[in-house]
Each structure stands twice: as structure tokens, then as C-alpha cells.
Amino acid sequence: MKVAKFGGTSMASAEQLIKVANIVKADENRKIIVVSAPGKRFKEDTKTTDLLIALGESCLKGENTDDKLMAIVDRYKEIAENLNLSNEIIDEISTNLHELIQADQTNTDRFMDGLKASGEDNSAKLFAFFLNSTGVAASYVNPKDAGIVVTDDPGNAQTLPETYENLKKLKGRNEVIVVPGFFGFSPEGNLVTFSRGGSDITGSIIAAGVDAELYENFTDVDSVFVANPNIVDDPKEIKELTYKEMRELSYAGFSVFHDEALIPAFRAGIPVCIKNTNNPSAPGTFIVAERDFSKDPVAGIASDSGFCSIYVSKYLMNREIGFGRRLLQILEDEGISYEHMPSGIDDTSIILRENQLCDEKEQRVLDRIKTELNVDTISIRHNQAMIMVVGEGMTSYVGISAKATAAFARAGVNIEMINQGSSEVSMMFAVAESDAPKAVVALYNEFFTEAANQEELPLVLR
Amino acid sequence: MKVAKFGGTSMASAEQLIKVANIVKADENRKIIVVSAPGKRFKEDTKTTDLLIALGESCLKGENTDDKLMAIVDRYKEIAENLNLSNEIIDEISTNLHELIQADQTNTDRFMDGLKASGEDNSAKLFAFFLNSTGVAASYVNPKDAGIVVTDDPGNAQTLPETYENLKKLKGRNEVIVVPGFFGFSPEGNLVTFSRGGSDITGSIIAAGVDAELYENFTDVDSVFVANPNIVDDPKEIKELTYKEMRELSYAGFSVFHDEALIPAFRAGIPVCIKNTNNPSAPGTFIVAERDFSKDPVAGIASDSGFCSIYVSKYLMNREIGFGRRLLQILEDEGISYEHMPSGIDDTSIILRENQLCDEKEQRVLDRIKTELNVDTISIRHNQAMIMVVGEGMTSYVGISAKATAAFARAGVNIEMINQGSSEVSMMFAVAESDAPKAVVALYNEFFTEAANQEELPLVLR
């Protein structure tokens, strides 16, 4: 059996739900459907989840919420009416929302979690109702009944291990099951949401639990591209990616997938396919445990900005046992997570996401390092971008780094830092944020255009 | 005034001492002379220091040591006789050695330190005696009288700050002062040696203390070369190097200079010149605080072997605050110092000198990391070499890394790891030990031969 997850744009309108229903009907192995809340219908539209958050915040302030609630009900109503569904389902959704805003507000996180989760929950009810209306045997199944048990961290639930055993009971049912994404229940029975975008997590957990042959993740693009289409014109599509490659690409700004979503599928060895609801015949991008690297040692190029780099030097630093550990201890004390800590002989840099530092905290951290570690010099460089060249096949070839650095040189981009070889999956370059688009284009041309094959420096298999 | 230090080969024979005396006479600013123990006279010869160590070990075993002691006295005697010096000085040296082997053996480290230090001490006495015999006003000055005060760590003394104040009294004396290198005295008056090769340290301390205009370090080569002459045929000479460049080159196998020796000169801003006793008219290599980088952004290429790399991966490692710090804590617990810890998103490598690990310790460290940090995979790669491209000017140019990596690719050498940009002085590459010579030759050709200037990829100043 296959588990298929449909994102917000796939659930945004009657037109989209018809497409989704047709996709479900087209393959009888698509037995479990995980849905998001209705997303944007057009570029300036507001996602249902954001309407729900605004509604919840109004409730907590004691404001009149009639209009806000009505706007949400209307989103579902528009879909239901255009699908010629009976009023029954909209009455149910309306009643549900009225109950939720009356719920106990003592614990505001829990109150908000209940409202936010209703986006997916009512979307699932509506879609199951629609499937039934078209003659497809389908049931809405609540995550509690499905057995998705999570930690009691509102907005950041972690799946508990018993979930996978519980989910087995979803196998072999003679109908389509529609499960809302994004939330589970704590062992005490409280509804708790995953981090935002967590419908991907629900799909991945269920695919692992029922040992699916495939986890299909339907979005609104034909596939994952080798580079950001906003930076590179008409980039190539990726046919196959490994889990590790996907993880590194999504870390560095590929937003196709929720960052943690792949873990359950990864651990269970379930292949994942990213497909387009609007063009389901396109083959999509497969995410697999292993792929043939010979044709494409490089899988993709990603970039992400918002980093800063703290540089520290101290004569004979490398003789000082415990220096690195004490440096990291200061960051840990300050609740700062670092990304990388490349080091020279007598100097070391710490790369971190700069949104963790306000001016005051930055000054305190620099002062503490200077004083407590008695360093010779310390400085900080802001507005850095990380460019990642990702591909598990790269380690098999001599000359990848030569091609990559040549691309930077031709583009006139100064490389602030290279980190290669610590990861078996990626090569990382720090550049000034303003240089990042130029660098991505140059790398794309180097590795993915025809000209690349005529390069003076051919790759040599080791 | 200048401080000149003469190494073991410069003090090995009468012929060499005559050269040294001529060098001293040739420049009346050479007022303070620091000497090593007599070194090798020919390739298979044994250094006096090694003879002294063997003598000390025999004493501690209670063996008959007459022959060993005589062999040492004979080294000095041969020099003295060939210089037509009176017996007086050899009698003094012989008496000194007989006293030293009779010394208290309760503390074996201290006993050995006394014997080892006598190599330099008697060398200084002999040379001062010789200078006087040629009509040069010269005095032997013991480090205790000079005021070199050090920590009481036999074989690893650290200079105490009062030393620099004490040394000022050596200024303005109307004669040449000859000081033995390699040792100082603890505040309690115990003789304590520096780490091996520590005569360089003595010279550097004295140069800083007397605020010398120049610290001349005489060895047996005309200059420092841009690459190891055993690997590259007839490499270019380095005219000028910065302290930081020297430090990074000496870290990675350039053995011209004792590793820590430069610190006192560095902190005091004293320029250093490496010169050849056998060819004193050659200009030598100057080590300075700043140099003009425009002609030679790359100063030199070094390589060092004997490293290993521990590779650790764990899905979502970068989300785990404290992971890196706990990893370093395990190494610290085991008394292991690491060189570098480059990291990817979900993986990290630790590069360390493999002589720190016996099989049993290696297994224990790997087991502890695996168990205590609950990692997905862990592996270790042995027999790695580090290749360093060193030059403070590199950060001013775009394209240095492209030239370097192209050189590796042309030589067919796989780069296991690149670490660039964390240091402002060097770029570091890990390769298999067996590939290291090939890599050094390729980098030399890229950066230092005529062909390099005709490269397709010119360096571009930022």
C-alpha cells in the first residue's frame, strides 16, 4: 500500500480536491491519505492555519471573533458548495470551531494547539465526505484512533515509539483512510501539534508504521530542482535523491520538505516520492536510501543566508587541551547552537545562525570568549551565506572541489570558508550574502550545463 | 645589539667554531651569543645531547659509565685540541661531568636534566674560552646569572615573566656574552630544561629581554625553502616570512625552527633572521611581523603525516545542543588533544595525531563516542597527511583555492578534507599519506614555477 500526503495548495479549493480525488482513484494502492489544512488559492491569499492563529489570538485577547470564525467556516463552505456537498459537513465544521473557541484558555499553548490542528482535522473530514459522495469508500480517522502518540510539547511534539506498533492496525482496511496531518495525542490524551509544516511528519510516521511500499508527498511542483528556480533560470529536475542528500538540501534552504519529516521514513527504509497534484503524470522526485551516483555525483546546489562567523585567534591555541570544549561550553551556557567550528592551528571560527544573537548578547558572548579564554584577537563577521554542493557520489570522484572552486573564481566570488570532507554528502562554502546568487549560478553552470562536460578538468573516478 | 644563536652543527667541530668566531667578529653588534651542544659532524654521527642521555640512563641503571663519559669529554677535547686551546678548559668540562654523574639520583628527571643541560653549558664555556684565545673580549654567562627563571617542569620548562626584566642587565656590556641555550632555573634554583631543541627558545627569550634589533638564528641551510627539498627538487628560497606563517609551516613539518621558540620574539616584535653558518654572506630568511604580500601571497607549502580522522554521523546532529562539546569532553577525559573538528550537518570529523592512540585506547574512545553520544555510525581512517598552503596574503586574493584544488586534481590526488578560511594564514588539505609527496610537488608547481604565471586562472586581487 501507498501513503499519500497532500499539502495546503492541494486542499485549497474544490478544483484542487477534485484533482486529489482523481489521484486517489487512479491507484488503488493509495490507501492512506494525509491532508494539510486548506492553503493559499492565489499568491496573496491567507492560509487557513494563519486564519486560525489570528482567531485564537483574538479569543485570548477577549475580542469579538465572529468575523474571523466566519471567514474560516467560509473557506470550507466555498469548497463544499463548489463540490455540491450537503450542508451536513459544513455544520459539523462550524460546530467544531465554535466548540474550540469556547475551550479552556488556562493553558494558552494547548488552546492554540486545538485551534491550529482543526485546520487539518476539518480538511480531512471534508475530504473523506467528498470521497464518499463520489462513491469511494472512505473514512476519516482521527490521529487518536490511528494511535499517533506524542510528547506533550505543544507546537513541537515528538513521536513516541509505541505509535509505530499502533499504526499497524490501519493496514488491510478495505477503504481509503483520510488522516489529518500535523498533530497527535499525548499519553494523557491531550492534542499536541508538531512543529509547523508537520503534516509531512504525519505522512512519514504513518508510512513507516504501515510499512508502505511508497510514501507519496504531493505538492505543487513537478519535482525538486537541482537549484532554486528563483536564482537559476529553468534548473534541471532531480529524478532521484538519497535521504541524506535531501536532508542536507533542506537544511540549506530547499523548502520542499519539512526538515525532520523524513526521519521516520528514513529509519524504516520507505522510499518517498515528491509529486505534483496539478500534474500527477510527471514522474516526480524519488527519495531513496541508495542511488546510482555515476551519472550525477552532484545532486543539487543550495544556499542559505543569515549566518555569522566568530573568529578567534590565540598563539599556540592548538597546544591548549580543552580550548575548543571550553569555547563550546560558553555557547551552550548562552543557549546558542553553532553550525560549524572549523579550526586552523592557532585560530578557530564558529559559524552560527545570526538570529540567535541580539546586539547585547553578541557583545556578552564576545566578551566572555575574550576574557575567559584569554584570546589574542576576536572578531565577528555578519551577513554570511552558506552554499552547499550536495551529492553522496562526490566522494568517489577526484576533482569535484577543483570544479567547484574554479566556478567561484570565474564568478569573481571570494570564498570566505571551505568545509569539505567532514561530511560524506556535501561540500560547504561560506560567502558574503550578496555573492550567494552569483555563486549558485556559477556552480549550476559548472555541474549541470552542457558546457560543464567540455571542461578542461574532467572528473576522474577514484 | 643583535642576539645570535648557533645550532648543533655550528658547534660540532673546531672548523665550525672558527666559522662562528669569524661571524661574531664580523659584526660588532653581535653581542650575545647563544649556543647549542656540539651536534653531528657527519651524517652518521651522534649528537652530544644523545650521548649525554645515554650516559644518564647508564648511571641510573648502575652500569659502569667510564667509556660513555670519556666519549663525551673526547668530543670537547677534539675541538679544543684542534683549536690549540690549553688543557684548562677540558679539565673543567671533565670535572663538571664527573660531578654531574655523582649528583643526587632521587629525582631522575632532575638528574637527567642536569646532564642534558651540560651539553650546551660546556659548549658555551668552550666557545667563550676560544673567543678569548683569539683576542675577543668574551664571557660565559650562566642562565642563572642571566636571570632566566622558568617553571619547575623538567624537560618542559616555561619561561616566567620576571625573566624579561632580569635580562635587561645584559645590555650595554662591553664584551661578547656567551650563554648556553636549552635551560633555565626555577625560582627555587633548580636547573630545568626546555623541551628538546630549546636553544632556539633561549635565543628568542634573550632577544626579547634585551630588546635586540635582530635575533639571528644560525643553522646549516642558507634559508627556509618554500617546500621540503627532500620532496621538491631545488625549491625556491623564502626571503621573508611572517611569524604566523613560520608558526604554521613549523607546525606542519618545517623543522627549521623549534615550534614555541618564536613566541617571545613575536610578542616583543623582534625580527628574526635564519642564516647559514657555512655561508654567512647569504641573506637568509627574515621572519617579521608584516611583509609585502603582493608578490608572494603564498609563502610556503608544508606537509606532515601521522594523522587519523574519526568520522561520526547522527541524523539531526546539528539540532542537538551540546553534541560537539560532549564529543570534545570525551577526548579531554582520555587526555587526547585534537587538531581539527570540521563538521557537516549531521556528521563531524575529528582529526588528531595518531600516535596518541594505541589499539586499546582507540577502541575505548570509539566505544565511548558510540555509546555515550548514541551516534548512527562511527569510523576511523588512519595514515592521513595534512598538506598546508601557508600565506597571510592569500585572503586578499580570489582564486587561490581554485588554483590549489586544480593542482590536486591534475596530480590525481583525492582530497579527503579541505579546511580553508578558518585560519587567515593557511589552507589545509587532508590526503592519504602515500599521496602527500605528489600533492606537495603539484602545489609547488602551481604556485612557484614559471608555468604557474601562465595559468588559465589568474589570481584576482579582491
Side-chain angles (χ1 to χ4, degrees):
Chain A
M1 65 194 297
K2 297 175 183 173
V3 173
K5 179 256 165 182
F6 292 87
T9 56
S10 304
M11 307 308 291
S13 67
E15 190 190 350
Q16 292 300 90
L17 258 68
I18 292 167
K19 289 181 193 167
V20 174
N22 286 334
I23 291 168
V24 173
K25 287 181 215 169
D27 185 342
E28 61 175 15
N29 287 326
R30 290 184 179 126
K31 283 293 187 201
I32 302 183
I33 311 299
V34 177
V35 299
S36 293
K40 293 184 179 186
R41 293 158 294 184
F42 43 89
K43 200 161 181 245
E44 295 74 23
D45 199 11
T46 308
K47 295 178 179 179
T48 312
T49 304
D50 290 318
L51 296 176
L52 286 162
I53 290 170
L55 170 63
E57 284 168 353
S58 268
C59 287
L60 291 173
K61 288 182 198 151
E63 296 170 356
N64 181 307
T65 57
D66 292 352
D67 290 354
K68 288 199 167 81
L69 193 146
M70 190 55 68
I72 297 166
V73 173
D74 281 349
R75 286 294 295 268
Y76 293 102
K77 196 170 179 178
E78 182 194 291
I79 298 171
E81 284 177 353
N82 286 329
L83 293 172
N84 297 316
L85 301 181
S86 73
N87 280 338
E88 183 189 336
I89 180 67
I90 295 306
D91 291 346
E92 186 182 338
I93 290 172
S94 176
T95 306
N96 170 255
L97 284 166
H98 278 95
E99 283 169 9
L100 285 169
I101 62 169
Q102 302 297 333
D104 180 19
Q105 297 184 8
T106 325
N107 183 330
T108 56
D109 286 339
R110 206 176 293 298
F111 172 77
M112 290 297 288
D113 257 16
L115 262 179
K116 285 192 289 178
S118 77
E120 276 71 12
D121 200 41
N122 288 320
S123 182
K125 287 175 186 163
L126 177 61
F127 184 61
F129 195 89
F130 172 52
L131 279 181
N132 282 322
S133 79
T134 66
V136 175
S139 292
Y140 156 85
V141 173
N142 186 280
K144 188 180 241 168
D145 299 325
I148 298 178
V149 188
V150 299
T151 59
D152 201 355
D153 304 309
N156 192 30
Q158 305 294 317
T159 312
L160 291 171
E162 56 265 40
T163 297
Y164 299 98
E165 190 58 34
N166 296 343
L167 285 165
K168 286 185 181 163
K169 63 174 179 280
L170 296 184
K171 290 167 83 166
R173 277 171 65 162
N174 215 358
E175 58 176 349
V176 172
I177 294 168
V178 183
V179 185
F182 188 40
F183 66 98
F185 286 82
S186 71
E188 297 75 32
N190 294 316
L191 183 155
V192 200
T193 63
F194 294 119
S195 52
R196 187 132 191 205
S199 291
D200 287 339
I201 302 180
T202 305
S204 179
I205 292 169
I206 295 179
V210 303
D211 195 23
E213 61 184 280
L214 183 65
Y215 169 36
E216 295 177 308
N217 196 292
F218 282 86
T219 64
D220 51 6
V221 291
D222 276 2
S223 66
V224 181
F225 296 104
V226 297
N228 185 340
N230 296 326
I231 297 176
V232 173
D233 284 339
D234 195 20
K236 289 197 175 177
E237 298 181 350
I238 301 179
K239 303 278 171 237
E240 252 187 358
L241 264 183
T242 67
Y243 293 118
K244 285 185 181 177
E245 288 168 342
M246 182 74 217
R247 158 86 177 128
E248 305 243 345
L249 287 170
S250 73
Y251 163 84
F254 270 43
S255 57
V256 176
F257 234 106
H258 184 280
D259 212 4
E260 291 174 34
L262 280 179
I263 309 173
F266 165 68
R267 301 236 191 253
I270 313 289
V272 178
C273 186
I274 293 175
K275 288 179 76 74
N276 190 353
T277 300
N278 304 314
N279 184 18
S281 62
T285 298
F286 278 83
I287 303 170
V288 294
E290 282 181 18
R291 66 178 182 91
D292 172 13
F293 301 116
S294 63
K295 268 200 238 156
D296 304 296
V298 175
I301 296 154
S303 71
D304 199 10
S305 53
F307 294 92
C308 64
S309 166
I310 299 174
Y311 172 81
V312 173
S313 81
K314 181 176 187 180
Y315 207 75
L316 294 188
M317 182 189 288
N318 86 318
R319 296 282 178 84
E320 201 172 321
I321 287 195
F323 186 91
R325 195 260 311 149
R326 287 188 295 144
L327 185 55
L328 295 186
Q329 185 70 61
I330 291 175
L331 297 182
E332 202 175 331
D333 290 350
E334 298 285 345
I336 294 168
S337 72
Y338 74 100
E339 304 294 316
H340 307 287
M341 189 177 64
S343 63
I345 313 296
D346 288 344
D347 35 24
T348 200
S349 294
I350 308 137
I351 319 282
L352 41 95
R353 294 201 183 261
E354 59 192 346
N355 61 7
Q356 298 181 93
L357 296 175
C358 58
D359 286 354
E360 187 207 329
K361 191 166 188 176
E362 174 179 321
Q363 199 48 57
R364 188 174 62 237
V365 169
L366 297 185
D367 286 347
R368 283 194 62 186
I369 293 172
K370 195 165 170 55
T371 318
E372 295 174 27
L373 300 181
N374 195 21
V375 302
D376 293 338
T377 63
I378 182 164
S379 59
I380 184 164
R381 197 154 51 189
H382 291 282
N383 303 319
Q384 300 277 293
M386 302 291 269
I387 312 282
M388 309 221 339
V389 178
V390 175
E392 282 203 70
M394 297 192 301
T395 51
S396 307
Y397 290 85
V398 171
I400 297 265
S401 50
K403 278 173 78 71
T405 52
F408 282 90
R410 281 194 208 101
V413 172
N414 183 55
I415 304 173
E416 309 269 7
M417 191 199 84
I418 304 177
N419 183 359
Q420 186 241 299
S422 45
S423 161
E424 294 189 338
V425 188
S426 66
M427 219 183 292
M428 202 177 303
F429 302 88
V431 301
E433 272 179 5
S434 52
D435 280 339
K438 249 194 309 190
V440 170
V441 169
L443 288 167
Y444 178 83
N445 289 335
E446 187 75 30
F447 287 107
F448 292 107
T449 64
E450 285 302 314
N453 302 324
Q454 297 150 15
E455 274 304 309
E456 205 203 327
L457 272 177
L459 297 179
V460 179
L461 198 60
R462 286 169 65 190
Chain B
M1 65 195 296
K2 297 177 184 171
V3 173
K5 178 256 167 183
F6 292 87
T9 56
S10 303
M11 307 306 291
S13 66
E15 189 190 351
Q16 292 300 90
L17 259 68
I18 292 167
K19 289 181 193 167
V20 174
N22 287 333
I23 290 168
V24 173
K25 288 181 215 169
D27 184 342
E28 62 174 16
N29 287 326
R30 288 181 180 128
K31 283 292 187 198
I32 302 181
I33 311 301
V34 177
V35 299
S36 294
K40 292 183 180 187
R41 293 158 294 184
F42 44 89
K43 200 161 182 242
E44 294 74 23
D45 199 11
T46 307
K47 294 178 180 179
T48 311
T49 305
D50 290 317
L51 296 177
L52 287 161
I53 291 171
L55 170 65
E57 285 168 353
S58 269
C59 287
L60 292 172
K61 286 182 198 150
E63 295 170 357
N64 182 308
T65 57
D66 292 350
D67 290 353
K68 289 199 167 81
L69 192 147
M70 191 55 69
I72 296 166
V73 174
D74 281 349
R75 286 294 293 268
Y76 294 100
K77 195 171 181 177
E78 182 194 291
I79 297 172
E81 284 177 352
N82 286 329
L83 293 172
N84 298 314
L85 301 182
S86 73
N87 281 338
E88 183 190 338
I89 181 69
I90 297 306
D91 290 345
E92 185 181 340
I93 291 171
S94 176
T95 306
N96 171 254
L97 285 165
H98 279 95
E99 282 169 9
L100 286 169
I101 62 170
Q102 302 297 331
D104 179 20
Q105 298 185 6
T106 324
N107 183 331
T108 56
D109 286 338
R110 207 176 293 296
F111 173 77
M112 290 297 287
D113 255 15
L115 262 180
K116 285 192 288 179
S118 78
E120 276 72 11
D121 200 41
N122 287 322
S123 183
K125 288 176 187 163
L126 177 60
F127 184 61
F129 195 89
F130 172 52
L131 279 180
N132 282 324
S133 80
T134 66
V136 174
S139 291
Y140 156 85
V141 173
N142 188 278
K144 188 180 242 170
D145 299 325
I148 299 179
V149 189
V150 299
T151 59
D152 201 356
D153 304 308
N156 191 31
Q158 306 294 318
T159 312
L160 290 171
E162 57 264 39
T163 298
Y164 300 99
E165 192 57 35
N166 296 343
L167 285 166
K168 286 185 180 164
K169 65 174 177 279
L170 296 185
K171 290 167 81 166
R173 277 171 67 161
N174 215 358
E175 58 177 346
V176 173
I177 294 168
V178 184
V179 185
F182 188 38
F183 65 99
F185 286 82
S186 71
E188 297 76 32
N190 294 316
L191 183 155
V192 199
T193 63
F194 295 119
S195 52
R196 187 133 191 203
S199 291
D200 287 338
I201 302 180
T202 304
S204 179
I205 292 169
I206 295 179
V210 303
D211 194 22
E213 61 183 281
L214 184 65
Y215 169 36
E216 296 178 306
N217 195 293
F218 282 85
T219 64
D220 50 7
V221 291
D222 275 2
S223 67
V224 180
F225 296 104
V226 297
N228 185 339
N230 296 325
I231 298 176
V232 173
D233 284 340
D234 196 19
K236 290 197 173 176
E237 296 180 352
I238 301 178
K239 302 280 173 234
E240 252 189 356
L241 264 183
T242 67
Y243 293 118
K244 286 184 180 177
E245 289 169 342
M246 184 72 218
R247 158 84 176 129
E248 306 242 346
L249 288 170
S250 73
Y251 164 84
F254 270 44
S255 56
V256 176
F257 233 107
H258 184 278
D259 212 3
E260 290 175 35
L262 280 179
I263 308 173
F266 166 66
R267 301 237 189 252
I270 312 290
V272 178
C273 186
I274 294 175
K275 289 180 76 73
N276 190 353
T277 301
N278 305 314
N279 184 19
S281 62
T285 298
F286 278 82
I287 303 171
V288 293
E290 283 181 20
R291 66 178 181 92
D292 172 14
F293 302 116
S294 63
K295 269 200 236 155
D296 303 297
V298 175
I301 296 155
S303 71
D304 198 11
S305 53
F307 294 92
C308 65
S309 166
I310 298 175
Y311 172 81
V312 173
S313 82
K314 182 175 187 180
Y315 207 76
L316 292 188
M317 181 189 289
N318 86 318
R319 296 283 179 83
E320 201 173 321
I321 288 195
F323 186 91
R325 195 260 312 151
R326 288 189 293 144
L327 185 54
L328 295 186
Q329 186 70 61
I330 291 175
L331 297 183
E332 203 175 330
D333 290 350
E334 299 284 346
I336 294 168
S337 72
Y338 73 100
E339 304 294 316
H340 307 288
M341 187 176 66
S343 63
I345 315 295
D346 289 343
D347 35 23
T348 200
S349 293
I350 308 137
I351 320 282
L352 42 95
R353 294 200 183 260
E354 59 192 346
N355 62 8
Q356 297 181 92
L357 297 174
C358 58
D359 286 354
E360 186 208 329
K361 191 166 188 176
E362 173 179 322
Q363 198 50 55
R364 188 174 64 238
V365 169
L366 297 184
D367 285 347
R368 283 193 62 185
I369 294 172
K370 194 168 172 53
T371 317
E372 295 174 27
L373 300 180
N374 195 22
V375 302
D376 293 338
T377 61
I378 182 165
S379 59
I380 184 164
R381 196 153 53 189
H382 291 281
N383 303 321
Q384 301 277 293
M386 303 291 268
I387 312 283
M388 309 219 343
V389 178
V390 175
E392 281 203 70
M394 298 193 299
T395 52
S396 308
Y397 289 86
V398 171
I400 298 265
S401 50
K403 280 175 76 72
T405 52
F408 283 90
R410 281 194 208 100
V413 172
N414 183 57
I415 304 173
E416 309 269 6
M417 191 199 85
I418 304 177
N419 182 2
Q420 187 241 299
S422 44
S423 161
E424 295 189 339
V425 188
S426 66
M427 222 184 288
M428 204 178 301
F429 302 88
V431 302
E433 272 178 5
S434 52
D435 279 339
K438 250 195 308 190
V440 170
V441 170
L443 288 166
Y444 179 81
N445 289 335
E446 187 73 32
F447 287 106
F448 292 106
T449 64
E450 285 301 315
N453 302 323
Q454 298 150 13
E455 273 304 308
E456 205 202 328
L457 273 176
L459 296 180
V460 178
L461 198 60
R462 287 168 65 190

